[in-house]
Amino acid sequence: MPSPKALLNAAKIRASKELGQNFLSDPSSAELIVRKSSLSPEDVVLEIGAGLGALTIPLSRSVKKVYAVEKDRRLATVLNGELIKNDIYNVEIFHQDILKTDMTALSALDKGKIIVIGNLPYNISSQILIHLVKSREAIERTIIMLQKELAHRIAAPSGGRNYGRLSVIIQYCSQVKTIADIKASQFFPRPKVDSRILEIHFMKTLPFPVANEKTLFQVVAAAFGKRRKTLKNALSKSCLPANPDTIATVLEIAGIDGTRRAETLSVEEFVRLTDAFLTQMPSLTSD
Ligand code: SAM
């Protein structure tokens, strides 16, 4: 496959920073992702941000079908041309926003779970991760490349400054494994930071299931909204519709000291806190 620089020049396209366009220029990284994904010819893959096809093309040779989602119409057109040139007919390009892509509907097309793979656009990686968590019933597993710093945050243990909203949400429902690190020099244009490939395996049985996940996500967001404040202050000043007395009761029921900070709470404690909120404020579950 031609280099991304050559493809962009030929199509007179300038890579867009807003769309996080840093294309894999070293085929060995794409091959590594495909190899480590343990794919079989029966698998159906959803690729996030297919770009110029650095991953799409090797993926298409290992699986039954690739749904390639790409927001940039210019790139979708180039990709379509590359697929035709390479006689590849098992890739369906969706010119759309991954955040608006209904993964459950896509998985239903082939009556099975999909494997989600992608070199994520860095500026919306966190939103994509939340979208994956919410769609996880449709997903077998996920192999994604993201900024190393975000990968650290996802896997961070409680108690440190890297531990935050995303760490709790991902660790609540999945197991995360580091596959490899990829140097910034392997992309065009070259990004400022290195990347990491992660495998995220969504657990079928959760160690600490919460009564209502939507409320858990709200409580976690509220607690980390003012992460330098104590938990009781952060929760009182958040958009949760709870007054200080209710918050004190909730913290007592959960057995959590309100003078602690959000970053010291384990996933299990966040689940306890959420369940305690639900006993006092059942209306939190409604939209
Ligand atoms: N997969 C290609 C590669 O590895 O060379 C491109 C990866 S590049 C880091 C991210 C890609 O995601 C870009 O092609 C970009 O246009 C696309 N993208 C950005 N925002 C998107 C969105 N909301 N939905 C779908 N694709 C998006």
Side-chain angles (χ1 to χ4, degrees), residues 67-282:
Y67 295 121
V69 179
E70 173 53 59
K71 188 173 178 185
D72 188 335
R73 183 185 294 281
R74 306 169 306 165
L75 300 184
T77 305
V78 176
L79 176 59
N80 191 41
E82 287 303 300
L83 295 175
I84 293 168
K85 256 190 239 161
N86 285 281
D87 283 328
I88 292 168
Y89 302 105
N90 62 341
V91 176
E92 199 168 329
I93 301 175
F94 289 88
H95 167 231
Q96 62 190 48
D97 185 340
I98 190 63
L99 297 175
K100 294 185 184 139
T101 299
D102 183 342
M103 299 191 194
T104 310
L106 270 186
S107 76
L109 292 178
D110 290 273
K111 302 184 178 64
K113 292 192 176 192
I114 47 175
I115 298 172
V116 176
I117 295 181
N119 171 14
L120 301 190
Y122 292 148
N123 36 350
I124 56 162
S125 296
S126 302
Q127 287 156 270
I128 293 176
L129 285 162
I130 304 281
H131 188 40
L132 291 173
V133 166
K134 289 182 177 165
S135 312
R136 68 184 190 275
E137 288 291 315
I139 300 173
E140 173 68 37
R141 62 185 189 283
T142 294
I143 297 94
I144 46 168
M145 177 141 63
L146 26 77
Q147 282 192 341
K148 222 167 163 181
E149 179 262 331
L150 182 61
H152 282 307
R153 276 168 43 206
I154 288 173
S158 61
R161 72 185 167 84
N162 276 333
Y163 184 73
R165 175 173 169 244
L166 212 52
S167 333
V168 178
I169 291 175
I170 299 286
Q171 291 171 29
Y172 166 73
C173 62
S174 65
Q175 286 167 328
V176 180
K177 192 169 125 193
T178 298
I179 304 285
D181 288 339
I182 308 285
K183 291 257 167 252
S185 56
Q186 306 213 2
F187 299 87
F188 178 84
R190 185 190 166 123
K192 289 201 176 72
V193 292
D194 293 339
S195 293
R196 177 164 284 181
I197 304 168
L198 294 182
E199 175 173 344
I200 300 181
H201 190 89
F202 294 116
M203 293 182 275
K204 290 197 174 72
T205 312
L206 301 180
F208 310 111
V210 72
N212 185 287
E213 255 176 42
K214 189 174 149 265
T215 313
L216 172 69
F217 296 169
Q218 278 178 307
V219 169
V220 173
F224 283 106
K226 304 237 176 340
R227 61 181 293 149
R228 300 175 71 83
K229 291 194 184 298
T230 62
L231 198 54
K232 65 174 189 236
N233 282 343
L235 293 173
S236 308
K237 294 190 169 45
S238 73
C239 52
L240 286 177
N243 62 40
D245 287 345
T246 309
I247 287 168
T249 311
V250 164
L251 286 163
E252 198 181 325
I253 295 171
I256 294 169
D257 178 351
T259 63
R260 287 170 61 187
R261 285 184 182 172
E263 68 196 31
T264 69
L265 264 66
S266 64
V267 171
E268 185 191 2
E269 287 177 311
F270 271 112
V271 168
R272 258 180 18 227
L273 185 63
T274 305
D275 287 343
F277 259 114
L278 287 167
T279 63
Q280 298 303 297
M281 305 179 69

Side-chain angles (χ1 to χ4, degrees), residues 53-65:
L55 273 170
T56 326
I57 291 177
L59 281 172
S60 71
R61 297 191 170 123
S62 302
V63 298
K64 184 168 87 178
K65 180 119 202 154

